[in-house]
Amino acid sequence: MAEIATELVDAVEALLGAGVPVRITAWDGSTAGPPGAPGIVLRNRRALRRLLWQPGELGLARAYVSGDLDVAPDTDLYEVLSAVGRFGERPDLHHPGLRDAFGPAGRRALHTALRAGAVGPQPAAPPEEVRTGRGRAHSRGRDRAAISHHYDVGNDFYRLVLGPTMVYSCAYWAPGAKSLEAAQEAKLDLICRKLGLRPGMRLLDVGCGWGSLLIHAARHYGVTAVGVSISTEQVDLARSRVAEAGLADRVEVRLQDYREISDGPFDAVSSIGMAEHVGAVQYLTYARGLYGLLAPGGRLLNHQISRRPDRPGEPYVPSPFIDRYVFPDGELAPVGSTVGLLEEAGFEVRDVESLREHYALTLREWVANLQAHWSAAAELAGRGRARVWRLYMAASAVAFEENRIGVNQVLAVRTTDAGASGLPATRDEWLAQARHSSDRPRSAEPADTDLGDRPSVR
């Protein structure tokens, strides 16, 4: 068959009623598609077979993770993801159904697939793909399995991607933050200031990761702290880092589900990038549990990725790629829903800050780290898993940049019985909270969050 790429492009455009958004190079060396468009490479017939069996996001993900589909050498992955994402949202795009399969465009597409040798049994999914776990969604056992899939990849792998801070959430790119490490330090400090931490206070960090916030809060704000996680590898490394920092007498790290914490009250609670794992059916339980663990006047800082609200009558469907490869059972909620549930649990919500652009910058830094250490990362986690992480972080960066998802820090308080919040009268006052120690970096100073003056990152 001559010029496979040309026949594929012609058949797809006839079926969808729109020009393809990428330039396609097929396994025979032929290329077709809009000149100057970002390019993809179909390395074999199996790539096309994956797309025929699972049209859309899941088929593309399987083809990329397996290496059957790749980005052209002269193309940036971000460009491909942005072009494909915009194409999928076009209102004029025709979505063929069963009836179309028997029409002229459908018959032409089938004929092209047959000639290309792409019709055949469904290829096995890459081994990195997981099916939904056993048991009731968001039961403790199923949550442990889901968390293990994502976080127990290997601490050395995460160190390559995240850098020395080992912070796996959105950094805070204040003016003057010239590196990922400085931006992550600024984010940790921002959280501590929003919580109003002072010496002698007791902090609970729910989903504490590798312990970075615990160490920062104890070292610089003089608190005693408890961190919980259900990732064995995270807890092991967090305990080691706490001991190396000389803080074992003030920081405790537990392998524990948030639903099992019973030793409140705490003066402050942080939940940074953890609530996405809770799920809609458990969110009110989560919010009420944290409310009950706070002393009156205590503050909660809930840092959580959000999605755009659903259109009326449209059910929420999680990304099949994210669910199968990255965060099994993970769910995103609109920020308004999160605020409403926190209020229903008894909290007074005092502040909501969007850090959407900050997360896009952070993810691009993580992708750059992964690329810079690609051979080592592939050896540590496996080539397929490394490709999963590259795809999910790059796609997430584009989604944040194009406002398909967001991230918000919600500051809430458990008021006293008399209704007192204990917060200063203005936002500037409570953000001006000083460190206990004297080594506060300039990048952590309160500042306008306008990113326009910040030096560009990789």
Side-chain angles (χ1 to χ4, degrees), residues 34 36 51 78 86 112 127 206 216 224 246 272 300 327 330 347 371 414 421 434 438 446:
L51 298 175
Y78 297 105
R86 291 195 303 269
T112 298
V206 182
H216 185 92
T224 59
I272 314 301
L300 165 70
F327 293 110
F347 284 105
Q371 289 292 115
R414 175 175 178 168
S421 70
S438 60

Side-chain angles (χ1 to χ4, degrees), residues 283-284 287-288 333-349 352 410:
Y283 203 92
L284 191 56
R288 285 172 173 164
V335 64
S337 300
T338 296
V339 168
L341 288 167
L342 290 173
E343 289 181 328
E344 186 176 346
F347 284 105
E348 180 189 16
V349 172
V352 179
V410 180

Side-chain angles (χ1 to χ4, degrees), residues 138 275 277-285 316 329 331-333 341:
H138 298 293
H277 300 289
V278 170
V281 298
Q282 285 290 328
Y283 203 92
L284 191 56
T285 297
Y316 169 54
D329 290 335
E331 297 179 40
L332 302 183
L341 288 167

